[in-house]
Amino acid sequence: MRLSQFLRAGRSPVALPGWVADLIETVEEACACGGYVSDHDRMRLAIELSAENVRRGTGGPFGSVIVDLDTGDILGAGVNLVVPSCDPTAHGEVSAIRVGAALVDSFSFSAAGLRAGIYTSAEPCGMCCTASLWSGVRRVVYAATTEDVEAIGFDEGLKPGDWQAAMQRRGIEVAGPLLRKEAVAVLSSYRDSGQVIYNG
């Protein structure tokens, strides 16, 4: 089942805004025609999720997608829903991981026999770094940096300074920042909109 169908069928464990399924369906159609195969394409999708979340006022300025690195299929998508859901753990990465795990019906993408990567509009915070590790992804790609996120007032939590090396020691490739300027523009638009900077 494609992710957009899964979301529309109401099977997602995360109550994502309805527009997410529409966006993912458009991307899935492009994927079927050979699009969205590069890191840049996938990161643009994560950033587009974050930007649309800000434009529509449905959550914070963060978006993530999980992709099967072998087939290019989109396995999960998420946006930051902390404020609207009253859930401090509802970060973009966690939302995408929860959706993806439900889609593949496994606690781990690796355990399901998949080589998955997570593309996230900002460097994972302490919680999301560990959640990504436990999710069984083999690759983490990020856009904006921790410094960029903290510059607009967010607290990125507890994370070791050598997190990238620690991930790589566990067989998880880390890449970034990729399309940092575009992601920072979304962060700035969120700050300028006056929406909630939680945990700042």
Side-chain angles (χ1 to χ4, degrees):
M1 179 180 286
R2 296 198 316 179
L3 178 59
S4 60
Q5 296 170 325
F6 181 78
L7 295 174
R8 288 208 171 93
R11 298 179 59 190
S12 172
V14 179
L16 292 172
W19 59 262
V20 173
D22 296 336
L23 176 57
I24 295 301
E25 182 176 35
T26 300
V27 172
E28 286 169 337
E29 290 168 359
C31 289
C33 298
Y36 287 87
V37 295
S38 73
D39 280 346
H40 282 77
D41 291 336
R42 295 164 179 174
M43 184 57 74
R44 282 190 187 96
L45 175 56
I47 294 170
E48 188 173 355
L49 283 163
S50 70
E52 193 67 14
N53 210 32
V54 173
R55 277 193 294 272
R56 292 181 181 249
T58 49
F62 306 101
S64 298
V65 290
I66 297 174
V67 177
D68 184 320
L69 297 172
D70 294 322
T71 67
D73 292 341
I74 302 172
L75 303 176
V79 291
N80 181 286
L81 300 169
V82 168
V83 174
S85 68
C86 299
D87 179 355
T89 70
H91 289 199
E93 296 95 328
V94 171
S95 296
I97 289 166
R98 288 176 177 163
V99 170
L103 177 69
V104 304
D105 195 27
S106 178
F107 63 92
S108 164
F109 296 105
S110 292
L114 298 166
R115 199 171 66 87
I118 187 166
Y119 293 76
T120 181
S121 66
E123 184 177 328
C125 69
M127 176 184 70
C128 294
C129 182
T130 302
S132 296
L133 168 67
W134 288 336
S135 76
V137 297
R138 306 316 310 157
R139 193 155 193 256
V140 175
V141 185
Y142 67 91
T145 66
T146 292
E147 292 76 20
D148 297 328
V149 174
E150 291 180 338
I152 70 162
F154 284 103
D155 180 347
E156 288 295 87
L158 304 174
K159 184 171 68 175
D162 68 341
W163 74 275
Q164 294 189 40
M167 294 286 260
Q168 289 165 346
R169 284 194 297 273
R170 289 167 171 83
I172 301 167
E173 180 188 356
V174 178
L178 177 67
L179 302 181
R180 180 181 182 186
K181 182 178 178 181
E182 291 89 333
V184 169
V186 176
L187 294 173
S188 298
S189 72
Y190 185 80
R191 179 200 58 215
D192 296 345
S193 74
Q195 296 184 61
V196 178
I197 304 284
Y198 57 86
N199 295 342

